[in-house]
Amino acid sequence: MKPISSTISAIALSLGISASAATAPEVIKFDNGPEISIYKPSEPNGAAVLICPGGGYQKKCIDKEGYLFAPYFNDQGITLAVLDYRLPAGDATLPVGDAYTALEYLHENASRLNLNPDKIGIMGGSAGGHLAAQVAVTAPEKFAPKFQILLYPVVSMVDMSLAHRGSRERLLGDKAGDRETMLRHSPNLLVTPDTPEAFLVLTADDTIVDPENSMAYARALGQNGVGCELHMFAHGPHGFGANEVPFRQVWLDALTQWLNTTVLNK
């Protein structure tokens, strides 16, 4: 297997991004187990993204839904922090708690990392998208993310027609059938007017996570007056992440424009 740094450089070149943007990360290990790898741009603009890789809460696709996004964000002056969270194994407090810890660290070290606390957001794909959305709707105000980027996210835990069974059972364990527990872990039901703006991307023929998850979340945001931009492409695999797909440049260009409008130029 190629070293991560070599793979990142190759991805950068394929995206037309400066390979110099893909620098070695600063790795922070927390006492309770999780860690973050922080990729710093050469010219930081104060914005940062904490990315939560997916994997159905049974593994973490930490390359294509984590490290490989470093050149894209760094090229825009955005710091990327890749979260290697603890898998829940039935304890839903673990991944959320790890994301809280990472966000709090970014806020407490904002000055050293050249970050603006008002421009720190969260991102995730699939089950990592569920984690990102759950954090976006529940995080304490002092370090709550200011924006969210969700790729083909798992959202509902209570609607059996939408819920990704494996993610739900691995996250909630023996409480996977308890309605109150499922409700507390369904971000679409927890949205408020204070929830941060969102960018979502998915495919209409996703056979792993029902696209209606994203649609339900987008509707909830809209009903609460929260800005949301959703891009649904007709065809494509679940879990594409930073991988090559026919519409990759299209969705990345759309994300760039959204970031410029929603985050960077505010």
Side-chain angles (χ1 to χ4, degrees), residues 33 40 49 73 83 89 93 109 115 139 156 160 197 226 250:
K40 305 171 187 175
V49 171
F73 285 109
L83 176 63
T93 66
N109 291 272
L115 302 181
S156 179
M160 294 302 102
E197 291 191 55
V226 178
V250 177

Side-chain angles (χ1 to χ4, degrees), residues 140-183:
E141 183 179 356
K142 65 178 181 178
F143 54 77
K146 301 303 188 292
F147 60 92
Q148 52 182 319
I149 302 166
L150 308 179
L151 313 182
Y152 37 82
V154 173
V155 173
S156 179
M157 290 286 168
V158 69
D159 186 337
M160 294 302 102
S161 67
L162 300 184
H164 183 260
R165 185 183 300 271
S167 294
R168 178 170 57 85
E169 293 178 352
R170 286 184 284 270
L171 179 67
L172 305 181
D174 59 7
K175 294 185 178 180
D178 178 71
R179 182 171 177 80
E180 283 301 313
T181 300
M182 291 187 288
L183 288 171

